[in-house]
């Protein structure tokens, strides 16, 4: 059967259990996928998604007991060193487990050193009302089919695994604002089903837009994410309903200076629901 790009992404996150200890610490094995290679190791969204997947598997028993709607609600990934192509080990551990909220840590280890660390919050969700700050309502944007499809020239090859339609703020234009507005989804493959969307996929999508300095510059430059946090506002069943659909992403930097910049990303479903918000600090030269 043909594999869709979203399923290929999810499949690249597969890890195998190696050991489970009495204190809840678990060891997993996996290997990198060259499709997601970036300037310095795999792209940050893939690493964040990988660790989110590991935390979700470690927390699976707790999530099942927490009931319908429970899921990963917050992710924070720190990128500590370059990850080489090849095998790695992930160590997951429960930091603290409560009745409605639990906290988990996942370390990616290569050659005996921690290359990336993730901290994750899983929680049960309850119906407590719904409010979205008006300034975070989905911006007006042309429909995805009416926005030009980005050809990904001058960008790493993994960008071609996504279908990106730019409404505002294309890369390499020397713009006087860092803001971009784009429709984004995993590229579909004819005859293949759209891949499911879960917390790990959202963690990857939050980092799949081109860096803000690419909008301000007229060409690429070396860049590496230092830390990336994503807050998932949609329940798992809402995420599952987004399979194959475009999300609207707004990205902006508040300041770019001294070799670092921040990047805020907001993700909405096509119907206007705020799905996730994300923030990162990146290094550049």
């Amino acid at each position: 059967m043909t594999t869709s790009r979203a399923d290929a992404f999810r499949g690249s996150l597969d890890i195998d259990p190696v050991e489970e200890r009495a204190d809840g610490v678990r060891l997993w094995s996996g290997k990198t996928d060259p499709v997601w290679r970036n300037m310095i190791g795999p792209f940050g969204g893939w690493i964040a998604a990988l660790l989110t997947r590991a935390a979700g598997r470690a927390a699976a028993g707790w999530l099942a007991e927490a009931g319908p709607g429970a899921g990963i609600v917050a992710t924070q990934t720190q990128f500590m060193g370059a990850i080489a192509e090849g095998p790695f080990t992930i160590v997951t551990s429960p930091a603290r487990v409560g009745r409605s909220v639990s906290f988990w840590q996942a370390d990616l280890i290569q050659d005996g050193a921690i290359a990336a660390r993730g901290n994750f919050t899983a929680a049960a969700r309850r119906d407590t009302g719904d409010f979205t700050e008006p300034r975070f309502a989905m911006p007006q944007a042309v429909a995805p089919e009416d926005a030009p499809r980005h050809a990904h020239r001058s960008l790493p090859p993994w960008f071609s695994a996504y279908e990106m339609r730019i409404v505002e703020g294309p890369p390499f234009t020397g713009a006087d604002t860092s803001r971009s507005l784009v429709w984004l989804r995993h590229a579909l493959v004819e005859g293949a089903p759209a891949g499911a969307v879960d917390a790990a996929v959202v963690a990857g999508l939050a980092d799949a837009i081109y860096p803000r300095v690419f909008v301000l510059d007229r060409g690429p430059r070396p860049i590496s994410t230092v830390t990336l946090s994503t807050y998932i506002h949609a329940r798992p069943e809402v995420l599952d309903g987004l399979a194959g659909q475009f999300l609207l992403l707004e990205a902006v930097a508040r300041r770019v200076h001294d070799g670092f910049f921040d990047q805020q990303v907001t993700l909405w479903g096509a119907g206007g629901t705020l799905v996730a918000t994300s923030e990162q600090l990146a290094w550049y030269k």
Side-chain angles (χ1 to χ4, degrees):
M1 186 180 74
T2 305
T3 301
S4 70
R5 294 292 179 86
D7 279 343
F9 181 83
R10 287 168 55 88
S12 73
L13 308 178
D14 286 346
I15 53 176
D16 297 315
V18 175
E19 180 184 350
E20 183 172 2
R21 300 173 183 168
D23 58 0
V25 173
R26 300 184 68 180
L27 274 63
W28 314 79
S29 65
K31 62 180 180 178
T32 59
D33 186 332
V35 170
W36 307 103
R37 184 77 182 174
N38 204 15
M39 297 178 183
I40 307 173
F43 102 93
W46 184 85
I47 299 169
L50 175 71
L51 294 177
T52 303
R53 172 62 53 77
R57 289 190 63 180
W62 183 91
L63 289 169
E65 291 183 2
I72 301 290
V73 298
T75 78
Q76 182 187 52
T77 307
Q78 297 169 303
F79 304 87
M80 300 180 177
I83 297 173
E85 291 293 335
F88 55 75
T89 298
I90 293 178
V91 180
T92 58
S93 58
R96 183 161 182 168
V97 176
R99 292 180 59 188
S100 58
V101 182
S102 62
F103 304 89
W104 305 81
Q105 182 172 293
D107 289 343
L108 189 154
I109 298 172
Q110 259 191 346
D111 297 326
I114 299 175
R117 168 169 288 175
N119 290 290
F120 304 89
T121 305
R125 293 184 183 270
R126 300 180 178 86
D127 292 327
T128 55
D130 191 349
F131 168 78
T132 300
E133 177 65 31
R135 72 186 182 98
F136 290 104
M138 188 172 79
Q140 294 292 321
V142 298
E145 57 269 20
D146 296 327
R149 184 168 183 169
H150 188 57
H152 304 298
R153 289 187 294 271
S154 301
L155 293 173
W158 64 263
F159 273 97
S160 64
Y162 293 93
E163 182 179 355
M164 183 181 296
R165 296 182 175 268
I166 300 177
V167 180
E168 299 175 20
F172 311 130
T173 58
D176 58 5
T177 175
S178 68
R179 182 177 181 267
S180 293
L181 194 63
V182 306
W183 291 104
L184 184 70
R185 68 179 176 186
H186 283 271
L188 301 180
V189 177
E190 186 175 356
V197 176
D198 59 11
V201 171
V202 172
L205 286 166
D207 191 43
I209 191 169
Y210 40 88
R212 299 303 81 211
V213 293
F214 283 12
V215 179
L216 302 173
D217 291 342
R218 295 191 176 276
R221 61 167 72 192
I223 289 173
S224 181
T225 303
V226 178
T227 182
L228 169 65
S229 297
T230 299
Y231 304 111
I232 300 169
H233 305 295
R235 290 175 177 241
E237 60 268 27
V238 174
L239 297 181
D240 190 57
L242 298 175
Q245 297 185 22
F246 280 99
L247 295 181
L248 185 66
L249 275 67
E250 181 183 54
V252 65
R254 286 170 295 198
R255 192 173 185 193
V256 180
H257 77 123
D258 289 349
F260 292 90
F261 66 92
D262 68 338
Q263 178 166 291
Q264 292 181 309
V265 176
T266 308
L267 303 87
W268 294 269
T273 299
L274 183 62
V275 172
T277 50
S278 183
E279 182 153 353
Q280 68 174 265
L281 181 71
W283 164 94
Y284 73 98
K285 70 175 183 180

